[in-house]
Amino acid sequence: MANHTEVYLSEQVVVLCSCVLSLVGSTLIITTFVLWSDLRTTPRRLLVYLSVSDWLSAASYAFGVWMDFRSDSVECVVQGALSTFSNTSSFFWTVAIAVYLYVFIVRAAQREADNLVLYFHLISWGVPLAITIAATCLNKIGYNASEVSVGWCWIQIQAPDRILWMLLTGKIWEFLAYLTLPILYILIKRHIHTAHAALSEYRPILANGPQSHAFPSMADIKLTLIPVIFILLRIWSTVRFILLLADSPVRQNPVLVTLHGIGNTSQGAANCIMFVLFTRPIRTRLCTTLCCCCCKCREQSQDASSVPHRLLQDRDALAHKGEEESNIR
């Protein structure tokens, strides 16, 4: 097995750009939740918790890619521990949102769904934290040689039980998410389609109108995209892990390494696109807010530029007044 997978400068730049986009996207999700109180529903609150995990994950990955660690160090261990915790937590919160929507929509049990939030916190923060603490205390986190990473640290590549710890600190939860998310969202979609079909039977005029199709179609698109995007982003990491198990040199392919880096760091940006930019009320508010800010900035700049002009006018008026007084005298 080769000792190190080379991470080229072009790969670092691309992955760092992906990290920045996820940081911006996660920040935007959190900011809109804080600014507008009417958006503070339970599903969007769960999305904010997921965005916190994605923000921490993108920040830790960005630091790791920037440093491109070549050996064990304190910074390497800290970065590896933070990325392990946040990445695993992101898996749990992604599944938690799907479970909440399933209970809320399919089982029509809002109170039961809301009661699950406490357990989501205990599991989505507690389990990753316990795993990360155990891995750190047992000196399992460290230099990974970019064999299943892109410059950042994770499980020490030289650890004899590295496969077990790679599974515990991410891969097993990733595999479970691959199975759980499509099943839950397919069940939700089927329930929505069945309910919409029943509604269409009794209310054909509304069902055939353009407004009645707009929101179900957008919801249908999102329910399809959520598991698909998750799998498309994360599959490259899984492929490299499987290639590591097979001791295949293909895992060092630059294209595969770049896709792995983009996939692991793009979750925050993808969530922002789906739940902010593709959500009409939030998109409209953002555009309105940006327009207002631009108008205020323009007014302030115009006021600032007009100050010297007003000062010159006042000076000329005073001079003219002085001349008139001198003539009177």
Side-chain angles (χ1 to χ4, degrees):
M1 182 177 68
N3 293 326
H4 181 75
T5 298
E6 187 67 28
V7 179
Y8 300 101
L9 179 61
S10 59
E11 297 169 354
Q12 288 180 284
V13 172
V14 171
V15 177
L16 282 173
C17 291
S18 177
C19 290
V20 170
L21 290 176
S22 273
L23 288 171
V24 173
S26 299
T27 301
L28 193 58
I29 291 174
I30 297 171
T31 302
T32 54
F33 180 84
V34 172
L35 289 178
W36 298 315
S37 58
D38 58 311
L39 296 179
R40 296 172 192 169
T41 60
T42 301
R44 191 155 286 273
R45 185 176 291 110
L46 297 179
L47 179 62
V48 168
Y49 301 143
L50 171 61
S51 298
V52 171
S53 297
D54 290 335
W55 195 98
L56 292 174
S57 181
S60 61
Y61 282 145
F63 179 72
V65 174
W66 177 266
M67 295 296 293
D68 190 16
F69 293 106
R70 300 301 177 106
S71 62
D72 283 322
S73 63
V74 175
E75 293 84 359
C76 173
V77 174
V78 171
Q79 181 272 312
L82 182 58
S83 62
T84 298
F85 166 76
S86 55
N87 193 47
T88 307
S89 178
S90 179
F91 291 149
F92 279 99
W93 279 116
T94 302
V95 176
I97 293 174
V99 172
Y100 180 90
L101 293 177
Y102 172 79
V103 176
F104 182 81
I105 296 174
V106 178
R107 301 183 59 177
Q110 180 178 356
R111 179 172 297 182
E112 183 180 345
D114 291 338
N115 291 337
L116 290 174
V117 175
L118 176 61
Y119 298 100
F120 291 156
H121 279 288
L122 294 176
I123 295 173
S124 300
W125 299 125
V127 173
L129 182 62
I131 293 173
T132 303
I133 291 176
T136 305
C137 292
L138 294 174
N139 296 320
K140 301 301 179 181
I141 293 180
Y143 177 59
N144 189 252
S146 295
E147 290 293 84
V148 277
S149 66
V150 188
W152 57 76
C153 293
W154 189 30
I155 300 300
Q156 289 186 7
I157 198 63
Q158 298 299 334
D161 53 353
R162 60 183 178 276
I163 302 301
L164 172 63
W165 282 99
M166 286 179 184
L167 289 170
L168 288 175
T169 57
K171 291 306 171 187
I172 190 171
W173 315 115
E174 193 173 62
F175 293 143
L176 290 175
Y178 288 156
L179 297 174
T180 306
L181 290 177
I183 292 174
L184 289 176
Y185 281 112
I186 287 173
L187 292 175
I188 294 172
K189 284 184 54 155
R190 286 183 58 187
H191 178 81
I192 291 176
H193 288 171
T194 302
H196 187 63
L199 181 65
S200 302
E201 182 178 354
Y202 291 100
R203 301 171 66 184
I205 297 177
L206 292 178
N208 294 326
Q211 293 297 326
S212 64
H213 282 293
F215 293 105
S217 62
M218 179 54 66
D220 187 68
I221 292 173
K222 288 183 179 180
L223 290 173
T224 303
L225 287 179
I226 290 171
V228 169
I229 290 178
F230 178 85
I231 293 173
L232 287 178
L233 291 178
R234 296 290 182 172
I235 195 64
W236 312 110
S237 170
T238 305
V239 169
R240 288 193 72 202
F241 176 71
I242 294 174
L243 291 174
L244 175 69
L245 296 180
D247 196 16
S248 171
V250 179
R251 69 182 181 277
Q252 299 177 339
N253 183 281
V255 175
L256 186 58
V257 172
T258 303
L259 290 172
H260 177 189
I262 294 173
N264 269 40
T265 58
S266 296
Q267 191 66 51
N271 288 337
C272 179
I273 292 172
M274 283 192 293
F275 299 109
V276 175
L277 302 183
F278 280 3
T279 303
R280 183 180 298 175
I282 301 178
R283 185 175 65 246
T284 303
R285 292 188 186 188
L286 282 176
C287 293
T288 304
T289 302
L290 290 175
C291 290
C292 291
C293 290
C294 291
C295 292
K296 289 182 180 179
C297 291
R298 190 179 297 111
E299 291 175 358
Q300 290 176 356
S301 63
Q302 290 176 352
D303 292 341
S305 62
S306 64
V307 168
H309 182 67
R310 287 201 301 267
L311 290 176
L312 289 175
Q313 287 180 333
D314 293 342
R315 187 187 66 180
D316 293 341
L318 290 173
H320 183 68
K321 183 178 180 181
E323 291 177 359
E324 289 180 349
E325 290 179 352
S326 62
N327 292 333
I328 293 173
R329 290 176 185 175

